[in-house]
Amino acid sequence: MEHTVEIVDVPPKPLAAVRRHTSRGELPDCIRGGLGLVYTFLKEARERGEPVESLGLGVAVYLADWNVELGVRVSGEFEPCGEIVPSATPAGRAATIAHFGAYERIPEAGDAMHKWCEEHGEKVIGPYWEEYGHWHEDQAQCRTDLFVLLAGD
């Protein structure tokens, strides 16, 4: 699959998130479970009339040593509730690539993005994150946008 890398300046995007430690083998279940907790929290918050609104898009931010933040984009700030904490996507100069297709093939797009950065002299400073589009029965229609922070010009 052909991938095109772009360099963009990304603002922070507010998240409601949970933090987890995982491994490569446990990652898919970790993402589903973590995002499930956050979606449930946001549904219950809406039912209680709280001002925070889900913007519907899931995000996984990969920190060091298989620590991840799993979140859902939200309309703004809110008070932490149990494991659910306010957070935000990283901000700054980033490389990005869009992946269309099955989630298990996302690492191929990530590898292509990192290879492109290396070949074009872009210094990756991390972290790396994925923003998941809306799910489709036809996995070819599933879009995931991948990002990694880069050193300044």
Side-chain angles (χ1 to χ4, degrees):
M1 172 178 268
E2 182 66 29
H3 293 100
T4 302
V5 176
E6 296 180 54
I7 304 299
V8 295
D9 286 314
V10 292
K13 298 170 189 165
L15 302 174
V18 295
R19 295 182 177 121
R20 294 285 186 264
H21 180 78
T22 191
S23 66
R24 182 176 297 277
E26 296 171 345
L27 185 60
D29 289 337
C30 181
I31 291 173
R32 280 190 293 275
L35 291 179
L37 285 174
V38 177
Y39 282 118
T40 297
F41 162 77
L42 291 169
K43 178 180 178 229
E44 292 170 354
R46 183 179 65 241
E47 290 169 355
R48 290 190 301 269
E50 294 180 22
V52 65
E53 292 182 40
S54 169
L55 300 181
L57 300 176
V59 176
V61 180
Y62 296 85
L63 307 168
D65 302 321
W66 288 101
N67 291 300
V68 294
E69 272 194 356
L70 305 165
V72 175
R73 295 214 7 231
V74 294
S75 58
E77 297 180 15
F78 65 94
E79 290 297 316
C81 181
E83 293 184 87
I84 312 297
V85 297
S87 187
T89 58
R93 185 170 179 269
T96 185
I97 193 168
H99 167 75
F100 292 89
Y103 296 128
E104 59 266 10
R105 303 215 40 207
I106 290 172
E108 295 171 22
D111 290 346
M113 181 172 62
H114 281 88
K115 181 179 179 186
W116 185 95
C117 289
E118 184 177 310
E119 290 172 350
H120 289 83
E122 296 290 350
K123 182 178 179 186
V124 172
I125 60 173
Y128 165 85
W129 71 102
E130 300 166 352
E131 296 183 2
Y132 307 105
H134 298 291
W135 189 84
H136 295 271
E137 287 286 334
D138 175 6
Q139 287 193 355
Q141 299 299 312
C142 292
R143 178 181 177 142
T144 304
D145 292 306
L146 292 70
F147 298 85
V148 67
L149 283 185
L150 302 173
D153 294 312

